[in-house]
Amino acid sequence: MATDVDIYVGKRLRRRRRLLGMTQQDLASEIGVRFQQIQKYECGANRITASRLFDLANALTVNVSYFFDGLAPDGQQAPANDGNDTLSGDILSQKETLELVRAYYRLSERPRRRLLDLAKALEEDNKGQGVA
């Protein structure tokens, strides 16, 4: 039976896979399982062993701790420390957001930094004009 932690880890797995533009089949091939197994991991139906989590982290180029970021010690989603920095989970699953993030990561480091600086400057302009 899936626990809240299994479901949370599965959601983080799905989010990262989609962010990288990988299909379930791509990820499955990368770690040597069938795509159905990835489906089961993502919905929390199957628990992920430590060694498999390590393989998934490597395939998705994240630290193993990524899968637990935002999880409170009691296994529930931790409350955000700063309400101004939180994004709804829905925004991260929108096609436009994923396209923007993928394009951002296709840039080399210097243009990424410049783009981030530009976005921050535009945000400050909006705040100064009373636009939220």
Side-chain angles (χ1 to χ4, degrees):
M1 179 147 187
T3 68
D4 290 340
V5 174
D6 297 324
I7 293 167
Y8 185 83
V9 169
K11 286 180 181 179
R12 298 283 294 173
L13 171 63
R14 179 183 301 120
R15 178 179 291 167
R16 180 66 181 174
R17 177 184 59 77
R18 287 181 174 172
L19 186 66
L20 295 175
M22 295 178 82
T23 65
Q24 288 177 334
Q25 182 60 54
D26 294 337
L27 183 55
S29 296
E30 184 91 17
I31 66 167
V33 299
R34 295 179 186 260
F35 81 93
Q36 292 93 336
Q37 187 63 43
I38 300 299
Q39 286 176 327
K40 291 176 182 180
Y41 289 154
E42 289 184 354
C43 70
N46 283 10
R47 288 187 171 172
I48 306 172
T49 64
S51 59
R52 181 71 72 214
L53 196 60
F54 184 79
D55 293 340
L56 288 164
N58 286 330
L60 297 171
T61 61
V62 293
N63 291 319
V64 172
S65 62
Y66 163 83
F67 297 105
F68 302 98
D69 287 347
L71 198 62
D74 65 358
Q76 299 297 312
Q77 189 165 347
N81 292 333
D82 182 359
N84 295 332
D85 264 356
T86 61
L87 294 174
S88 85
D90 291 341
I91 197 169
L92 296 175
S93 63
Q94 292 178 5
K95 184 178 180 185
E96 181 183 61
T97 305
L98 292 175
E99 289 173 1
L100 179 64
V101 172
R102 286 181 190 138
Y104 175 82
Y105 280 107
R106 283 192 297 264
L107 298 172
S108 62
E109 185 178 347
R110 187 164 185 251
R112 274 199 318 252
R113 236 186 263 140
R114 292 177 69 201
L115 182 58
L116 182 59
D117 291 342
L118 173 63
K120 288 178 179 179
L122 290 171
E123 179 184 27
E124 289 302 315
D125 285 350
N126 277 342
K127 286 180 182 176
Q129 296 174 10
V131 179

